[in-house]
Amino acid sequence: MPLLHVEIPVLRGFLTAGEAAEWKQDVFTAEESGSLLKSLMEGDFKAVLLSSQVTKLLNGDGCYAEEEDMEGYLEKRILLYLMGGSSDNQANRELVVLVLAVSCLHMFAQSNWTGPPFSFHLSDLLPPALLSPQFQTLDEAAHSSLLLDGESVYSLVANPFLLLLARVILIKSACKMDSLQLLPWWTLRYIKLHQQILEACSPQLLDLAQNSIDKVMRHQSVLSEQRNLAVQFHLECVYTSLSYYQYQQAKEHIRKAQELSGLNINMTGALGKRTRFQQKYLAQLILEVKRRGDGSDQMDIEASPTPTPQASLPRDYNLSDDTMLDTINLAEPDQYKLPELAAEEQALILGICTDFQKNNPVHKLTEEELLAFTSCILSQPKFWAVEVTALCLRSKLEKEKSRCVERAMMQTQVIVDYFEDTRCPGSERLKIFYCCHAPPRWAVQKQLASLLTDLGCTSSALLMYEKLELWEDAVICYERLGQHGKAEEIVRRELEKKETPSLYCLLGDILRDHQHYDRAWELSGRRSARAMRSKALLHLRNKEFQQCVDCFEQSLKTNTMQLGVWFSLGCAYLALEGYDGAAKAFQRCVGLEPDNAEAWNNLSTAYIRLHMKNKAFRTLQEALKCNYENWQIWENFILVSTDVGDFAEAMKAYHRLMDLRENYKDVQVSRWLALASRRTPAWRTAPWCTLGEARKGWMRMRRRGEESAAWRIHLCTGENTGEQILQVLVRAVVQNLTDIQGEQAGALRPKLKELLGRISSRHSSDAEVWRQYALLCGNGNSSDSEDNQKALQFLSKAHRCEVQAGGWEKEPTVFKEVIARAVHMGKVTLSCSEKKSNPAEALQMLSSSRLSLRSLATKAKQMHTDVATGQLHAELQEGVADLEQLITELQELSGKLRNQSQ
């Protein structure tokens, strides 16, 4: 029988009816591998490990060189076995080693994920010299070998030797197992388990995972013939991609898996009831699952695992609430009835749910959509891995709901207790296990402790954390209980038992002392990414930014996949004004997590400081995709979009800011804007500076009379810059500037009028808004009489708002500006009155303007006439004279109109 025909059922985990007869005759009778394959397919993994073939393979003649570590010894034994026989028997030996690796993975998963627990004695497998007390214990040796990229292994992992042996076979010895085409698939499964017991992501495992996926993808003929296995493979790739922040690749694998499954999965609304006393059916969010076409492309039932009896699965707790129903009571349940789902189909729905959770923000709507997924999955309890993963997710979502928090805690306790339950064998629990992301047992226990903490049972949670040796969480509990000294005491007590880098790091966190991080770094052989990371964070807290950067970079040399470290490194570089370094750090950050809005925003800040504003504009667009509700990002975006000349986007941003902040506007910042345009549009050449620098620059230009100079001070602060942006937008439209796309800004006039209409309705007492509105309507100089009438109306409102504000009349310079604007309003009044066909309306217009101007002239004389000389302030003399002349002209025109009307 070809080896591939053996590998496929081993991957699947069971034999079909047709394969069973064939295997009984051809495979189970093989000399070395037959009995092992039989034990494997029957789910007796322990029998494989303790078999005479494996014992002889691992123990050999009992010789052990003292300079060898455990990993080296195991590698030597496996390679000796693979190369020790004739070429005729090579395939059989490779099968023996494969069965051993698969059994180790399954037993490791059973020990730490599925249960029930089991025990075996390594003394039966390894030479006595290797177990000698003068050497490291087996667990210590396994932990040391499994430590990757400076990320330590969880201290209470059960039977780490099994994972180490699987690693040696699947990675170290793979080069001698060329006959096995699908061996990389098992390597991918090993990677999934190994990554979950590490403190953080491992770049080594990522490289290995990508290599393994590529190798499996080369066997398209196998995947095309085995549709069920192809769906499983793509789902396993989904979880691997999500673990390493590769969201786009995960989506592609989800798409392929759904295509192969023949399922249509959509979120939809249906009439239903959520409460016991609800009278009317209301729209409820549910998951609709339908098979495509005639169902010819559905899963092969024979090649899909048979469901586990419901009695052997963890109990799904009822809500038992006097108001809320357990499930939605649909008005038309038959219309949305689920088809009977196979194992791969349930796993697919769970995979889509996980992908959706990873790609959406924490929000109430997101929670409701995730609950729709869990309700769908839990309506058909069939497989341990799917059931437990869905129950854990539902418990996490329900812990914030007062009516559901009790069920969340009870449900989590049931899952914790079920690990010890022996009614359901491990082989049943492993069905479809690698296609789901079931949490390890300590993660479920930690979730239960977290629920206890949220309910105020801090002491009970503390006991659980100490039992799990999750010392960081235990320290937080001590802090909440006010026992600050106890936190240090418990860490020092554990250090007396055994010194580890993690404990020294934790002691450094408690005491905020660098010497403990240095000790952790040395103890780890300069391999602990956590030690340098924690040391850097302490430097950051103390604003010692250069030392902080040095430590972060040292940590990243050990492990480049530390998302939080890249972000913090970027912030430290910003504080040091090292914008190149900041840009590189935030680029890596968004590369690892593309939906990190803060990282995109900070990356744009670095680009702005580097005068790369087009890049800043694009990065802010990405930031807004990730967080559409953050007004600070929108404010940065409106600044940058205006600065690069995308006026349409600036208007859209202004509208959005008004949606998010009801009273959004700017009054102060526009004072510090000096804007001019000579040959090049100012928005293309603007440097960036701080608010203080802008203020000084503006005042300096005013003193030197350089208001028309061809440069501009632009703000990069957290303050509102609404009117400043408004002035630029109005000028761009009025002067018909060319925007970043090469389009004429004049085409945006209707949109800008709409924006100004909205702004003026909210801020009707703001003079600058009305002035900009008048400017957009031609400022009284338009060839369209209707626009001139509107401009006069807006200028009049601006004047009224200006004179009603207090304090302006005391400063002659400001008074002079008010007079100049009033004179312009008077001239527009004259122009509009002359063109009025109705004399009565013209007279009213002239009278109103004349009263305003006369009041202004009178106030100028009252406030700024020298009592001793009787002379008006020199700075106002010309303006007041213009006012009086204009008042005379208005009066004369009024007289002519009265004579005409008579």
Side-chain angles (χ1 to χ4, degrees):
M1 179 184 290
L3 276 182
L4 184 60
H5 291 179
V6 178
E7 289 186 80
I8 288 172
V10 170
L11 270 170
R12 194 194 302 130
F14 63 93
L15 298 169
T16 63
E19 290 169 341
E22 189 180 358
W23 273 52
K24 186 175 181 180
Q25 182 178 351
D26 298 334
V27 178
F28 292 154
T29 56
E31 184 180 348
E32 289 189 59
S33 60
S35 60
L36 296 182
L37 281 166
K38 185 177 181 181
S39 297
L40 176 68
M41 301 313 287
E42 290 174 352
D44 193 354
F45 314 124
K46 190 173 179 180
V48 173
L49 194 65
L50 299 179
S51 66
S52 58
Q53 298 97 311
V54 171
T55 303
K56 184 178 178 181
L57 186 158
L58 295 178
N59 209 338
D61 56 5
C63 295
Y64 169 71
E66 290 188 8
E67 66 275 6
E68 280 184 319
D69 61 5
M70 179 184 288
E71 187 174 5
Y73 171 79
L74 293 174
E75 183 181 354
K76 180 185 75 175
R77 292 303 312 164
I78 298 295
L79 292 176
L80 279 173
Y81 176 77
L82 286 171
M83 298 185 295
S86 64
S87 57
D88 296 339
N89 204 29
Q90 178 65 24
N92 210 18
R93 290 197 302 277
E94 289 182 22
L95 273 179
V96 169
V97 176
L98 172 65
V99 171
L100 175 58
V102 173
S103 298
C104 286
L105 283 182
H106 287 342
M107 292 175 74
F108 185 72
Q110 185 177 333
S111 301
N112 296 283
W113 275 265
T114 66
F118 65 88
S119 61
F120 68 96
H121 300 292
L122 284 174
S123 57
D124 298 332
L125 301 176
L126 300 173
L130 194 61
L131 305 172
S132 179
Q134 66 260 33
F135 299 110
Q136 280 184 308
T137 66
L138 285 175
D139 280 357
E140 287 175 346
H143 277 247
S144 178
S145 296
L146 292 172
L147 185 149
L148 295 178
D149 299 302
E151 301 300 338
S152 59
V153 174
Y154 173 57
S155 59
L156 294 186
V157 165
N159 298 319
F161 169 79
L162 295 171
L163 187 65
L164 178 59
L165 181 53
R167 173 181 170 82
V168 169
I169 294 171
L170 296 170
I171 297 174
K172 304 284 187 178
S173 310
C175 59
K176 301 298 181 182
M177 301 168 71
D178 296 330
S179 304
L180 301 174
Q181 298 180 47
L182 299 179
L183 187 69
W185 196 330
W186 285 107
T187 307
L188 190 64
R189 292 179 171 183
Y190 147 77
I191 291 165
K192 174 184 176 179
L193 299 184
H194 194 167
Q195 182 57 70
Q196 289 186 73
I197 67 171
L198 292 178
E199 194 171 3
C201 292
S202 164
Q204 284 186 50
L205 291 180
L206 171 59
D207 293 340
L208 191 58
Q210 290 173 331
N211 189 34
S212 300
I213 291 172
D214 291 341
K215 287 180 179 178
V216 177
M217 290 291 283
R218 291 173 196 159
H219 299 288
Q220 282 298 326
S221 58
V222 177
L223 296 176
S224 60
E225 291 172 6
Q226 303 288 331
R227 179 182 293 181
N228 296 51
L229 276 179
V231 172
Q232 290 188 36
F233 171 70
H234 286 298
L235 288 175
E236 291 177 37
C237 292
V238 167
Y239 291 112
T240 302
S241 299
L242 290 176
S243 296
Y244 298 106
Y245 311 108
Q246 297 179 328
Y247 299 109
Q248 199 56 47
Q249 291 93 319
K251 285 188 181 299
E252 184 61 23
H253 286 295
I254 283 281
R255 184 190 64 78
K256 289 179 180 177
Q258 189 168 352
E259 205 172 83
L260 288 166
S261 72
L263 287 183
N264 282 324
I265 302 168
N266 297 297
M267 201 68 66
T268 188
L271 291 176
K273 296 178 181 178
R274 292 289 293 269
T275 66
R276 300 181 188 278
F277 310 109
Q278 193 173 326
Q279 298 298 314
K280 295 181 180 179
Y281 288 105
L282 300 174
Q284 308 292 341
L285 190 65
I286 65 166
L287 192 72
E288 184 180 40
V289 181
K290 300 287 185 184
R291 285 203 169 90
R292 289 195 297 267
D294 58 359
S296 59
D297 57 351
Q298 72 182 69
M299 293 289 99
D300 180 0
I301 300 302
E302 190 182 16
S304 186
T306 56
T308 302
Q310 189 170 346
S312 299
L313 294 173
R315 175 188 171 189
D316 182 358
Y317 253 88
N318 292 329
L319 194 55
S320 301
D321 186 70
D322 57 1
T323 302
M324 294 286 292
L325 293 169
D326 276 344
T327 57
I328 297 172
N329 181 13
L330 294 175
E332 298 178 353
D334 293 340
Q335 185 179 347
Y336 301 99
K337 187 176 180 180
L338 284 175
E340 279 298 317
L341 299 172
E344 293 83 3
E345 293 170 333
Q346 283 202 340
L348 171 63
I349 295 172
L350 190 58
I352 294 172
C353 173
T354 306
D355 180 67
F356 180 85
Q357 183 184 20
K358 289 279 188 180
N359 285 280
N360 285 276
V362 178
H363 191 273
K364 287 185 177 179
L365 180 58
T366 305
E367 290 177 6
E368 290 300 321
E369 290 175 289
L370 292 173
L371 285 171
F373 277 103
T374 59
S375 297
C376 171
I377 295 166
L378 295 172
S379 66
Q380 293 187 11
K382 294 181 179 181
F383 302 96
W384 181 92
V386 176
E387 187 80 357
V388 166
T389 308
L391 289 173
C392 285
L393 176 57
R394 188 184 69 182
S395 298
K396 281 183 182 178
L397 297 171
E398 288 184 342
K399 71 176 184 177
E400 302 296 335
K401 300 181 178 182
S402 58
R403 293 188 178 276
C404 303
V405 65
E406 183 180 354
R407 176 170 74 171
M409 187 176 71
M410 299 287 283
Q411 187 67 70
T412 310
Q413 183 67 62
V414 165
I415 298 170
V416 169
D417 295 340
Y418 189 79
F419 182 81
E420 306 287 339
D421 197 325
T422 57
R423 287 176 297 174
C424 182
S427 56
E428 279 292 323
R429 305 186 196 200
L430 284 169
K431 287 179 178 178
I432 219 75
F433 168 77
Y434 296 99
C435 302
C436 305
H437 199 63
R441 59 180 176 82
W442 59 84
V444 182
Q445 291 172 305
K446 183 179 179 180
Q447 183 176 331
L448 178 59
S450 175
L451 274 165
L452 290 169
T453 304
D454 293 341
L455 291 171
C457 305
T458 309
S459 297
S460 300
L462 174 60
L463 292 174
M464 290 193 69
Y465 287 134
E466 289 184 344
K467 184 180 178 182
L468 294 170
E469 295 187 8
L470 297 172
W471 303 118
E472 290 190 39
D473 298 288
V475 165
I476 292 170
C477 286
Y478 278 122
E479 295 289 336
R480 287 185 176 182
L481 292 169
Q483 301 178 25
H484 308 291
K486 189 72 174 175
E488 180 185 353
E489 179 185 328
I490 193 172
V491 175
R492 290 193 181 278
R493 185 189 71 201
E494 292 301 316
L495 279 169
E496 288 175 5
K497 297 178 185 176
K498 182 184 176 184
E499 291 186 340
T500 66
S502 296
L503 285 172
Y504 271 113
C505 288
L506 187 55
L507 186 60
D509 294 342
I510 295 169
L511 301 178
R512 297 182 184 176
D513 191 337
H514 288 288
Q515 67 172 333
H516 300 300
Y517 300 131
D518 295 333
R519 174 61 181 147
W521 180 243
E522 296 301 327
L523 189 63
S524 69
R526 296 176 173 265
R527 294 171 62 196
S528 173
R530 161 75 192 279
M532 282 296 109
R533 180 169 70 234
S534 300
K535 186 175 175 67
L537 289 171
L538 183 56
H539 282 305
L540 188 62
R541 180 191 290 271
N542 296 332
K543 298 184 179 180
E544 298 163 352
F545 298 117
Q546 187 56 58
Q547 297 94 316
C548 169
V549 164
D550 295 340
C551 291
F552 273 142
E553 289 185 338
Q554 191 69 45
S555 179
L556 288 167
K557 283 180 184 177
T558 308
N559 183 358
T560 58
M561 291 200 67
Q562 301 180 79
L563 175 64
V565 173
W566 283 115
F567 186 89
S568 299
L569 176 63
C571 294
Y573 267 123
L574 285 179
L576 289 171
E577 299 183 2
Y579 302 118
D580 278 319
K584 289 175 184 175
F586 289 123
Q587 282 170 355
R588 290 299 299 269
C589 192
V590 298
L592 289 172
E593 190 176 37
D595 61 346
N596 190 327
E598 290 184 3
W600 282 112
N601 189 45
N602 290 352
L603 178 58
S604 74
T605 301
Y607 283 146
I608 286 167
R609 297 294 187 176
L610 292 168
H611 305 293
M612 302 164 70
K613 294 174 193 171
N614 286 324
K615 282 190 173 182
F617 175 70
R618 290 194 293 271
T619 54
L620 282 170
Q621 285 179 313
E622 294 296 326
L624 290 171
K625 288 178 187 176
C626 305
N627 190 344
Y628 203 69
E629 308 296 320
N630 189 309
W631 68 266
Q632 290 98 332
I633 299 178
W634 277 107
E635 194 163 68
N636 289 343
F637 183 66
I638 198 174
L639 276 166
V640 176
S641 57
T642 306
D643 208 38
V644 300
D646 199 325
F647 305 119
E649 287 294 324
M651 291 178 198
K652 185 195 298 183
Y654 208 123
H655 276 295
R656 185 61 185 153
L657 280 164
M658 293 184 74
D659 292 337
L660 295 172
R661 305 186 72 197
E662 186 177 351
N663 296 317
Y664 178 80
K665 68 167 189 170
D666 167 60
V667 177
Q668 302 297 326
V669 177
S670 60
R671 287 287 182 182
W672 318 121
L673 172 68
L675 176 62
S677 173
R678 200 182 295 169
R679 294 180 183 174
T680 306
W683 45 265
R684 290 193 186 275
T685 58
W688 292 79
C689 61
T690 64
L691 181 59
E693 291 167 339
R695 182 184 294 111
K696 291 174 184 175
W698 183 80
M699 294 301 292
R700 186 167 61 249
M701 287 198 303
R702 285 295 304 267
R703 287 196 298 271
R704 295 194 306 209
E706 294 179 351
E707 288 91 339
S708 60
W711 66 288
R712 164 181 166 216
I713 296 170
H714 201 79
L715 302 177
C716 184
T717 69
E719 301 189 32
N720 294 335
T721 54
E723 286 183 0
Q724 172 186 324
I725 299 300
L726 197 58
Q727 291 165 2
V728 176
L729 292 176
V730 170
R731 185 179 66 81
V733 171
V734 170
Q735 297 182 12
N736 200 22
L737 298 178
T738 304
D739 68 11
I740 193 172
Q741 282 91 21
E743 303 292 334
Q744 298 299 308
L748 298 171
R749 188 180 295 270
K751 289 185 177 180
L752 188 54
K753 283 185 177 180
E754 179 187 347
L755 175 62
L756 277 164
R758 187 179 180 191
I759 297 171
S760 60
S761 67
R762 288 196 182 181
H763 306 290
S764 56
S765 61
D766 194 313
E768 183 61 30
V769 171
W770 293 115
R771 278 197 291 271
Q772 294 302 317
Y773 213 157
L775 187 60
L776 185 63
C777 292
N779 213 25
N781 302 318
S782 174
S783 57
D784 188 333
S785 60
E786 188 176 341
D787 280 347
N788 288 334
Q789 291 287 343
K790 287 181 180 178
L792 176 59
Q793 179 186 354
F794 299 146
L795 288 170
S796 300
K797 288 182 178 181
H799 179 74
R800 284 197 297 273
C801 294
E802 195 163 39
V803 296
Q804 285 171 5
W808 59 271
E809 67 276 12
K810 296 176 183 178
E811 178 62 45
T813 303
V814 179
F815 207 133
K816 181 181 179 181
E817 292 174 357
V818 174
I819 290 174
R821 287 192 283 268
V823 168
H824 175 68
M825 179 190 71
K827 290 178 179 178
V828 175
T829 304
L830 281 172
S831 174
C832 290
S833 301
E834 290 171 350
K835 296 175 183 178
K836 270 284 183 184
S837 58
N838 189 328
E841 292 180 3
L843 279 170
Q844 184 180 359
M845 191 186 301
L846 291 166
S847 176
S848 174
S849 184
R850 188 173 70 250
L851 286 172
S852 298
L853 298 180
R854 182 172 286 133
S855 172
L856 193 61
T858 303
K859 181 168 286 192
K861 292 174 182 177
Q862 289 175 346
M863 298 289 295
H864 297 284
T865 300
D866 192 313
V867 178
T869 62
Q871 294 291 319
L872 188 63
H873 193 286
E875 199 168 348
L876 298 178
Q877 288 177 6
E878 184 180 350
V880 171
D882 290 343
L883 276 176
E884 290 177 340
Q885 182 182 347
L886 192 55
I887 291 168
T888 302
E889 292 178 14
L890 290 169
Q891 197 162 358
E892 288 176 356
L893 183 56
S894 297
K896 289 179 182 178
L897 289 172
R898 286 195 192 94
N899 292 334
Q900 289 175 7
S901 61
Q902 292 174 358

